[in-house]
Amino acid sequence: MTSILRKLVFFTGLIVIWEIIFRIYSQQTNYFPSPLGSVQQLYIGLFDTGILATALTESLQRITVGFTLALIIGGFLGVLIGVSKLADETIGSLVIALQSVPSIVWLPIALVLFQGGPGAIYFVVILGGTWAMTLNIRMGIKNVQPILIRAAKTMGYKNTELIWKVMLPASIPSALTGARLAWAFGWRALMAAELIGRGGLGRTLMDARDFFNMDLVVAIMIIISCIGLIVEYFIFGKIEKKVLSRWGLNNSTT
């Protein structure tokens, strides 16, 4: 309850500050967004016209597909470069290089490859999450304690069995970190791609900007932020608690 109260007070304070700033700027311009106006646009877009509900559904579909493929591709590459020195020196170097390239930079090429179709946005989202997943899986496998590997070999584990029964389970905490980063990067890549693509929350935000509807712009930003909070607290947060408890990594904080 103390934690909930702190958050409630904090966000209430932010809304009060927002309202004060709005009242100051409302004397100079009619375009500055207000808290009440943004909430009204949020309600209208979700439950009245359905514009935001449709855009949200499309964006969630895209991030679900893109994130899932990023986990699969990134997991495979991570295992490959984690267990193979040759792959690490070649593919691993390429992954490190590509990680420094913002995924949205790939959108012009993706639009050409997919002829402006929906595959272009999926492509960007997948790239946004794949490299983070790959490098974290690699790090998890590389950091497996040698004593565990030696003990497994003593028990007769070899090659594939050693990877599936020892290395991968031991690297789950790193894999969780990779999945969390893959989600964050993929979600950001999706919003950026939709800004200049078609459909989804990003495109709706740009349309609202073109019509100078700043209240709707903020309403969409609220949706984007809330999706991030929901995924973090109700999905990754719960998984993290179970993983940390299973691996004995719990730390008490105040």
Side-chain angles (χ1 to χ4, degrees), residues 61-252:
Q61 178 184 357
R62 287 169 171 171
I63 189 61
T64 300
V65 174
F67 175 63
T68 301
L69 291 176
L71 292 185
I72 295 172
I73 298 172
F76 173 77
L77 290 176
V79 172
L80 178 63
I81 65 179
V83 300
S84 170
K85 183 177 180 181
L86 176 61
D88 193 17
E89 293 175 349
T90 54
I91 300 175
S93 299
L94 177 63
V95 170
I96 293 174
L98 292 176
Q99 187 192 28
S100 63
V101 180
S103 56
I104 190 60
V105 173
W106 291 92
L107 186 58
I109 297 177
L111 290 173
V112 173
L113 289 175
F114 295 94
Q115 301 180 351
I121 295 181
Y122 286 114
F123 181 77
V124 171
V125 174
I126 292 169
L127 285 181
T130 296
W131 312 135
M133 189 64 186
T134 299
L135 293 177
N136 276 274
I137 289 287
R138 172 193 176 277
M139 182 179 65
I141 291 178
K142 292 287 187 181
N143 288 337
V144 174
Q145 297 180 13
I147 190 173
L148 293 178
I149 298 178
R150 289 197 298 268
K153 288 181 178 179
T154 301
M155 297 172 63
Y157 288 6
K158 295 180 180 180
N159 302 327
T160 305
E161 193 176 24
L162 184 65
I163 295 173
W164 283 103
K165 294 187 177 181
V166 179
M167 293 183 176
L168 282 180
S171 64
I172 285 181
S174 294
L176 176 60
T177 300
R180 177 176 272 153
L181 291 174
W183 156 263
F185 292 150
W187 184 239
R188 294 172 188 173
L190 173 62
M191 293 299 106
E194 287 182 343
L195 289 175
I196 52 180
R198 292 185 296 180
L201 291 173
R203 184 67 257 174
T204 307
L205 187 148
M206 289 299 291
D207 292 340
R209 187 212 63 173
D210 293 340
F211 286 100
F212 299 100
N213 190 343
M214 295 300 110
D215 287 334
L216 181 56
V217 169
V218 174
I220 296 172
M221 292 171 62
I222 292 173
I223 293 177
I224 295 172
S225 301
C226 287
I227 294 298
L229 286 174
I230 291 171
V231 172
E232 175 62 29
Y233 283 106
F234 293 99
I235 298 180
F236 287 119
K238 292 184 179 297
I239 295 175
E240 182 183 45
K241 289 181 180 179
K242 293 182 179 180
V243 170
L244 294 181
S245 177
R246 173 66 178 82
W247 266 256
L249 300 174
N250 283 324
N251 290 317
S252 59

Side-chain angles (χ1 to χ4, degrees), residues 28-84:
Q28 306 172 22
T29 177
N30 294 325
Y31 297 122
F32 194 88
S34 68
L36 180 59
S38 299
V39 172
Q40 289 176 339
Q41 289 293 328
L42 186 63
Y43 179 83
I44 293 172
L46 287 175
F47 305 107
D48 191 357
T49 63
I51 294 176
L52 293 183
T54 301
L56 175 60
T57 301
E58 190 168 1
S59 291
L60 289 178
Q61 178 184 357
R62 287 169 171 171
I63 189 61
T64 300
V65 174
F67 175 63
T68 301
L69 291 176
L71 292 185
I72 295 172
I73 298 172
F76 173 77
L77 290 176
V79 172
L80 178 63
I81 65 179
V83 300
S84 170

